[in-house]
Amino acid sequence: MSKKLISLADCCVAFDGELVLDHINLYFNDSEFLTLLGPSGCGKTTTLRIIGGFLTPTSGEVLFDGVRINDIPPNLRQVNTVFQRYALFPHLNVFENVAFGLRVPKTETVNGRKRKVKVPEEEIRQRVLEMLEVVSLKGFENRRITELSGGQQQRVAIARALVNRPKVLLLDEPLGALDLRLRKDMQSELKRIQQQLGITFIYVTHDQEEALAMSDTIVVMDQGRIQQIGTPEDIYNEPKNAFVADFIGESNILDGIMHEDYVVEFFNRKFKCLDKGFAPMEPVDVVIRPEDVDIVPPEKGQLRGTVTSVTFKGVHYDTIVDFKGFKWLIQTTDYHPEGETIGIILNPDDIHIMHKSEYSGMFGDYSSYSEEYDELEDVSLLEEDGEGGDEE
Amino acid sequence: MKKTNRGGSRFLIGLMFLFLYLPILLLIIFSFNAGDSSAVWRGFSLHWYSQLFQNRLIMESLYITLLVSLLATVISTAAGTFAAIGLYSLSRRKRDALLVVNNIPMMNADIVTGVSLCLFFVAFFQGWGSFARWMNGIQSVVELPTRLTLGFGTLLLAHIAFNIPYVILNVAPRLRQMDKNLVDAAQDLGCTWMQAFWRVILPEIKPGIVSGALIAFTMSVDDFVISYFTAGSSTSTLAMTIYGMTKRRITPEINAVSTLLFLTVLLLLVIVNVREARQERRSASMEPRKLTWMEKLSVRTSTPKWRWVKRGAGAAMACCFVAAVIFLTGATSSRPVVNVCSLGEYIDTDLITQFEEQTGIRVNYQTVESNESLYSLLKSGGADYDVVVTSDYMIAKFIEEDMLEPLDYKNIPNFELIDERFKNLHYDPEDQYTVPYTWGTLGIIYNTSMVDEEITSWSALYDDKYAGNVLLINNSRDALGEALLYLGYSVNTTDEAEIRQAFELIADANRRGVFQGKVSDEVFQKMEGGNAAIATYYAGDYLTMAENNEDLAFVVPDEGSNWFVDAMCVLKDAPHKTEAEMWINFIASTDANLANMDYIWYASPNREALEKYPAYYEELYGEELDQETYEIMAAPPEVLERCEVYENLPGEIQKLYSQLWVELGTG
């Protein structure tokens, strides 16, 4: 792509001796839509706050256009933020909220002399109205903030940040408080605005679907470390380790042994695959996406198992199948009732091989799978995030 | 069943409110009383309100109160707001701990706060004194004051100190409600921290700040106890002045000023509560609401041109405030001053104004409730008076303890006008320290509609005939003195057996239920209202009571009584001795004595004034002064012959007196 706009070089952040960011090296290109994706506490918001200037890294450098900005306060950075839960100013109306950044007098050095510079009133009017049009809030200028819906508040927050013409817009879980329908609308809206204005968006979320749908680049983080950087397709199709495989989409992750290039063994059976470059007989993690598995009559399958549960999901069925005690999730459009014995076939391009990592063995078994469990986890993620923000 | 219950609880609630508000209602009603009694209604009048605004003491203390309250409110609001913001940048555990610490001073008894602040200031002044002497010793560039005393400065500091917790308490909830990201957002949009404070934090927490300031102001205006301990001797707030005035008697003037104070505090509290209620309603309903006229005005005036006008007006107001403060404090500090302390409201305050106009010297006139409290005040070192007015036996005590400065009588030519009878008296045998101020007698006051006979003996005080209708004077010296006289002893006896015998007389009468109670200033209401038949008090005060109840009579019993002189003297090392002597000379003049005599009804020691008073009275009121009245005020020689003065008793006898007085109980 184009040039590097912001770089984080070897950044570490420690709170009370605990490492929150662990040697992060990352750069952001001009005009890209980049998403920091990871579970709560992974360091994504911390990374964003470093870029915004609200947090100084314990060690390492932050570079903007090649210039070190570690000690530049947030008000002097060409970066604006859309905060979690918007942080709109309740005492101002929509117009004044958006105009806020333009009304702050800036100190500029002209010919060695410091001078306060103000944006002329007419220009403020023009820019605010223009920006309200961009976020489709024309005619709402005189509304009070408390009279707006969540989605409208969200738009005000975006307009308020963008009216300052930042080079980079930081978005901290901006859609977290919206309902599903509105969230989908806002996703495409955000993508449209980013493309229309052509500036860099750095987007923080724990929602992998959101990340896949909007991003040019996804940075998957966990435990203060970057797990993988890549395009949505790369991340989904070629996860680097079990964590990424599990966090992005659903995965069945098995222990395997790489016999030689293109041959992997699991369930005591050799399979053809498309991966190479592993040491002979190297233990590996094998990822199989639930939608890639083809179900066939038992006698025709490479493996045979018993269906233990079926859940209707609309487009497909989530079918849990027991293979010698290891439970797989298989997504199929055909209905196979509980108790049925089925066979499966795996094609070489359905099998992804990963090096063993610290995450091996932690994910990939669906023996405790339940829908409720997943949803509960989502809620708790959201709440913990709020708490984390409070403490800083 | 239910219905009667509800009726009962309503009745109880009604009773409770009656109990709470009836006294205040009475106070308000009596502030409009045309007469000067707190017990007898003489018709409606605004007289006491107009009087109020001419009363120097009240107006001066009102000014002090307003100045202290305003300054303390402004400073504590600013300090408290920033403190609250600081608290909210701490971790939750530390913040909660500090908020608890913040609450303690509010729960703490005022008296503890007051005493501890007083101790702290005094300790600091001592330390400062040594430091200043040391500094003055090693350098001569700046002369540091070595003697600091309690005064306006310490009063202000104390008020700021006790106001800050209230401000924090009001601001903290607004900060808790505020989205923490707002500050980040403002900084993100280009604000420095200070800009973020003005543009975002302040508007967000403004309601809290305003209620905090209102509460702080209310607390300041309202405070008595803490002020009492920190204001020192030469500064007095309104509450302190009212307290000082009640020590002599509760005049409708006090009712009037209390009414105004009550209404002010009530108004402030109503404002605070209405604001809170309105905010709650607003936050409860997210619906759009109508703009208040204030907001409409602020919308209309938010154009750039108007903004300058607003800013200009704000700046002008701030300048005026600062200028007023400087002018007023400057005016008070640059002029020569004399600090006078007297017993109760014991002067015609017009005299103070006259003296100030004549000499340009500012008179700082303070009052104290009794001779004994003056003594302890001086001993505690918290006072910096120049002139004190006190009674004969107390002067003897002062002289004995070397607390007085010899006067330079060359500067007090009016001393010559003092009648020979009041010169070279026992307490100051060579006239070195004192100039007499007033004199009078102690006697029996009785209500002729309740007592059939003419009383001529102290025996009436102990007579079962009047059981439940006799008021015992709440002052051991007077009460025991009366009993001693009745028994035929001297009031100055040092014979323990005689004193015990006198005490037994009182104690016995007390057991028999003769006394209605021990009273000091309630004697005015009780006697004027006809609630008691017999009391003992001073002649001058009887004349005041008699104006409100014509049935009252006064007698100096045949066994004799006490006659007393109150005199002016200058305290040792008084900082304004010259001014003090000018003041004494002024007050000793015939004109001043006439005015004072007319105002307080106590006899003057000035020969000319005593002679001229009947003529003065006639000229002033257009009617002749009743000879009997005049003789009660200024007892004729044959009455004075029967009377004794109080001498300063030896230490062990004083102890016996107070011990016996405690034994008698509160009756």
Side-chain angles (χ1 to χ4, degrees), chain A residues 13-25:
Chain A
V13 171
F15 292 133
D16 301 325
E18 203 183 317
L19 215 53
V20 179
L21 277 194
D22 189 357
H23 298 279
I24 294 290
N25 283 291

Side-chain angles (χ1 to χ4, degrees), chain B residues 81-135:
Chain B
T81 302
F82 280 107
I85 292 171
L87 279 179
Y88 270 82
S89 67
L90 295 173
S91 72
R92 194 171 300 164
R93 197 168 352 126
K94 278 187 206 152
R95 179 209 308 161
D96 289 347
L98 282 171
L99 280 176
V100 171
V101 172
N102 177 59
N103 286 342
I104 292 172
M106 286 185 291
M107 316 275 235
N108 201 1
D110 275 2
I111 189 131
V112 177
T113 311
V115 170
S116 56
L117 279 168
C118 176
L119 275 180
F120 169 77
F121 288 134
V122 169
F124 172 77
F125 291 158
Q126 266 165 9
W128 170 262
S130 333
F131 170 76
R133 272 190 294 279
W134 174 74
M135 274 302 276

Side-chain angles (χ1 to χ4, degrees), chain A residues 75 80-81 88 90-91 164 390, chain B residues 182 187-189 191 199 204:
Chain A
N75 53 318
N80 284 110
T81 310
L88 296 175
H91 63 285
N164 304 294
D390 240 21
Chain B
L182 287 187
Q187 285 182 289
D188 184 74
L189 293 167
C191 289
R199 281 162 183 266
E204 273 297 292

Side-chain angles (χ1 to χ4, degrees), chain A residues 5 29 78 179 271 286 302:
Chain A
L5 191 59
N29 289 319
Q78 289 171 295
D179 61 52
F271 289 89
V286 180
Q302 294 162 317

Side-chain angles (χ1 to χ4, degrees), chain A residues 288-308:
Chain A
I288 293 154
R289 294 287 183 188
E291 68 275 17
D292 289 344
V293 182
D294 295 329
I295 296 185
V296 292
E299 59 282 4
K300 289 189 187 160
Q302 294 162 317
L303 293 168
R304 234 171 298 171
T306 319
V307 176
T308 59

